[in-house]
Amino acid sequence: MKKILVLLLLAVVGFYVAETFFDIGFGNSHFVKNEAIKPVKDIYLQQTVQELKVSNTVTSIVVNFRGFDTLGEVTVLFLSVTALGSILYKKRHHVGERSVLFSASSIVTSGSKLLFPAIVLLGAYVFIHGHLSPGGGFQGGVIIATGFLLMLLAYENYSVSHNGLSIVESLAGITFAGVGLLGFMNGGTFLQNFLPTGVLNDLFSGGVIPIIYIAVGFKVAAELTGVIYTVLNEKGEQNG
Amino acid sequence: MIAFILILVLLVLMIAASIYAVRQKDLLYAVIATGIISLILSILFYLLQAPDVALTEAAIGVALTTIIFVITIRNTERMEVEKDNNNNTKPAAK
Amino acid sequence: MDSTYFQYLDYAVYGTAVLVMLTGLYAALVKRSLLKIVIGLSIVDSGLNLLIVTLGYLKGGTAPIFSAGYDGTQTMVDPIPQALVLTAIVIGFGVTAVALSLVIRLWRHHHTLYIDEIKNLKW
């Protein structure tokens, strides 16, 4: 009975969602019927090249046009890490027991020791070149977190300093907010660019955008590593 | 032509993986199926000209989400237990 | 890519995204296991992200990156849905992590994942 009700409900939801999106069509540029109205995409694409000198338009939108949004989003991630820690809180003497998924052989441990610096380097490359190529702070941070995940899985007694993580996270957050506030001194708005923009497709271009994205990269890496470390420290009854 | 067939195959695989993930009683297999959904999704993002999103989805959906689910299953129970109305436990059908 | 083949794709990508979304929603509404509900929610996330990125796609468009090889003639796909989905994926991971931590906490208290047996969750 309940299943039939749910299927009916889903059919109604699916019908209206499908109808809405099928009207727009796949891959059509005729979103707007009136030709005089230009889509906001054109303005973003134009300003990205001419004013900000950033190659990757997604980066310029995430960091500059919607930079305040990104600040809030990074705060949400921070809150989720905090909530995770407080939900999984345990008495002191239980802390330190790790939920070991498997005991790794020596091939796995030496292989991860070799791979770990390469993964961290890849992550750093991705977020330093965030304004030139696909990638950025979020992607680079996640790649670095997967490197730490590999080490945590391979070594049973590998541990990450919680204080170090929170220091890195706080410094990155302060850098983001501080660079944003510095925009008040010269330009007048939050996250206004105050550095020389340089030449398009140069590593040192884009003004404050690379600085902010590097800060986001450090912050995301610290937060996601914290999430993994907290969950891995949870040790329940082994019955599986 | 080849890209057209590739996209169609990926879409069919994605639907199949999602239905498998919902119907499977062994939760470990279901979690692996969600990882496969994320993998297909990141290939689709790449084909839809969104390389930034493809990178994020590949790293988060395939690696981090899957490992968090696996750790949770390790800490709780692996099988989804079917119960009838009389609250009698019967083992999940293999 | 030949544009004549693309007309069949018009509804396939949207349809898949909506179907995947509905499958996840079905799991979240019908299933009794807490872990299955969280799996369903993460499937809804995937379908929704595909839907939003597909909105910004343009036929024959390139990725919105002005690299050195770009000659200035090709159209670019809409970068705004991509930026939104980029943040949505990271937030989705945070949501999944918090939901799973709640599952672990409930397991610790009630030693079951079956929502009918958890009296505090009765509705």
Side-chain angles (χ1 to χ4, degrees):
Chain A
M1 185 58 213
K2 191 187 171 188
K3 276 186 185 175
I4 296 168
L5 204 68
V6 166
L7 282 176
L8 215 65
L9 188 73
L10 288 182
V12 173
V13 171
F15 176 72
Y16 281 106
V17 172
E19 203 200 5
T20 310
F21 284 100
F22 286 174
D23 278 352
I24 295 169
F26 178 75
N28 294 329
S29 54
H30 309 297
F31 270 74
V32 188
K33 295 286 189 286
N34 189 353
E35 290 293 325
I37 302 170
K38 280 177 79 176
V40 68
K41 161 201 141 188
D42 290 355
I43 296 155
Y44 279 176
L45 287 173
Q46 207 178 14
Q47 287 201 349
T48 300
V49 180
Q50 289 174 358
E51 289 178 21
L52 300 172
K53 305 283 185 200
V54 173
S55 306
N56 191 348
T57 316
V58 178
T59 298
S60 76
I61 290 176
V62 166
V63 179
N64 196 293
F65 296 115
R66 292 176 186 272
F68 200 59
D69 191 16
T70 305
L71 184 60
E73 194 236 333
V74 172
T75 315
V76 169
L77 254 188
F78 168 72
L79 276 179
S80 93
V81 178
T82 316
L84 201 73
S86 59
I87 289 169
L88 290 181
Y89 175 77
K90 265 188 192 170
K91 292 284 188 297
R92 182 55 59 183
H93 59 273
H94 285 299
V95 174
E97 291 177 359
R98 281 269 300 281
S99 165
V100 183
L101 293 178
F102 56 90
S103 47
S105 67
S106 64
I107 295 176
V108 176
T109 51
S110 11
S112 352
K113 201 184 277 181
L114 276 176
L115 269 178
F116 177 65
I119 293 174
V120 172
L121 188 67
L122 175 68
Y125 178 87
V126 166
F127 69 65
I128 287 170
H129 289 76
H131 56 300
L132 301 178
S133 58
F138 291 107
Q139 291 91 336
V142 173
I143 290 171
I144 290 177
T146 53
F148 277 106
L149 168 68
L150 184 68
M151 287 304 272
L152 286 167
L153 284 181
Y155 290 91
E156 292 177 13
N157 48 7
Y158 186 84
S159 76
V160 185
S161 160
H162 257 296
N163 287 334
L165 283 183
S166 34
I167 287 171
V168 169
E169 194 184 334
S170 318
L171 281 181
I174 289 170
T175 311
F176 192 161
V179 170
L181 287 175
L182 276 179
F184 281 121
M185 292 170 60
N186 292 37
T189 58
F190 190 70
L191 287 172
Q192 181 94 31
N193 189 17
F194 57 88
L195 290 174
T197 50
V199 187
L200 189 70
N201 273 325
D202 205 359
L203 181 59
F204 295 101
S205 64
V208 296
I209 288 177
I211 300 172
I212 292 174
Y213 230 13
I214 287 170
V216 170
F218 275 109
K219 199 163 162 60
V220 170
E223 278 157 352
L224 294 189
T225 309
V227 168
I228 295 163
Y229 187 62
T230 314
V231 177
L232 263 175
N233 265 329
E234 168 70 24
K235 190 183 177 79
E237 286 75 14
Q238 305 285 321
N239 58 356
Chain B
M1 183 65 193
I2 293 170
F4 168 67
I5 294 172
L6 178 65
I7 290 181
L8 274 193
V9 169
L10 287 176
L11 293 178
V12 170
L13 275 179
M14 195 170 161
I15 296 176
S18 66
I19 291 173
Y20 180 81
V22 170
R23 290 190 61 85
Q24 177 60 254
K25 295 285 178 232
D26 193 336
L27 289 169
L28 198 57
Y29 291 175
V31 166
I32 301 300
T34 56
I36 290 171
I37 293 175
S38 290
L39 189 63
I40 296 169
L41 197 60
S42 86
I43 300 170
L44 277 176
F45 284 153
Y46 178 73
L47 291 176
L48 291 172
Q49 305 290 341
D52 298 78
V53 189
L55 258 175
T56 321
E57 180 70 36
I60 284 198
V62 181
L64 294 185
T65 311
T66 309
I67 203 71
I68 279 200
F69 270 114
V70 169
I71 294 165
T72 313
I73 287 171
R74 176 78 180 179
N75 284 329
T76 55
E77 64 184 356
R78 183 170 166 182
M79 291 293 168
E80 181 191 8
V81 185
E82 284 270 303
K83 306 222 172 167
D84 52 21
N85 288 329
N86 302 326
N87 213 14
N88 293 325
T89 307
K90 63 180 178 189
K94 282 290 277 188
Chain C
M1 244 185 275
D2 199 346
S3 65
T4 51
Y5 294 114
F6 254 127
Q7 65 189 11
Y8 302 111
L9 269 180
D10 277 20
Y11 299 110
V13 182
Y14 280 122
T16 308
V18 173
L19 263 180
V20 169
M21 228 173 76
L22 292 183
T23 316
L25 214 53
Y26 173 82
L29 287 175
V30 168
K31 294 292 175 175
R32 295 270 150 202
S33 168
L34 281 171
L35 267 172
K36 231 13 185 319
I37 292 173
V38 180
I39 288 174
L41 289 179
S42 89
I43 291 175
V44 174
D45 227 24
S46 305
L48 211 53
N49 290 337
L50 180 58
L51 196 63
I52 297 175
V53 168
T54 313
L55 266 185
Y57 182 71
L58 283 181
K59 282 171 188 167
T62 59
I65 294 163
F66 295 92
S67 52
Y70 180 69
D71 54 359
T73 54
Q74 288 166 298
T75 53
M76 283 185 167
V77 302
D78 200 340
I80 301 162
Q82 299 187 12
L84 295 181
V85 167
L86 183 65
T87 54
I89 290 174
V90 182
I91 288 294
F93 174 71
V95 169
T96 308
V98 171
L100 286 178
S101 73
L102 284 172
V103 170
I104 292 177
R105 188 72 193 221
L106 280 170
W107 172 267
R108 238 194 253 158
H109 273 258
H110 301 277
H111 225 269
T112 178
L113 288 181
Y114 191 61
I115 57 172
D116 286 351
E117 290 177 3
I118 302 169
K119 299 285 186 246
N120 296 338
L121 263 182
K122 216 168 186 177
W123 53 285

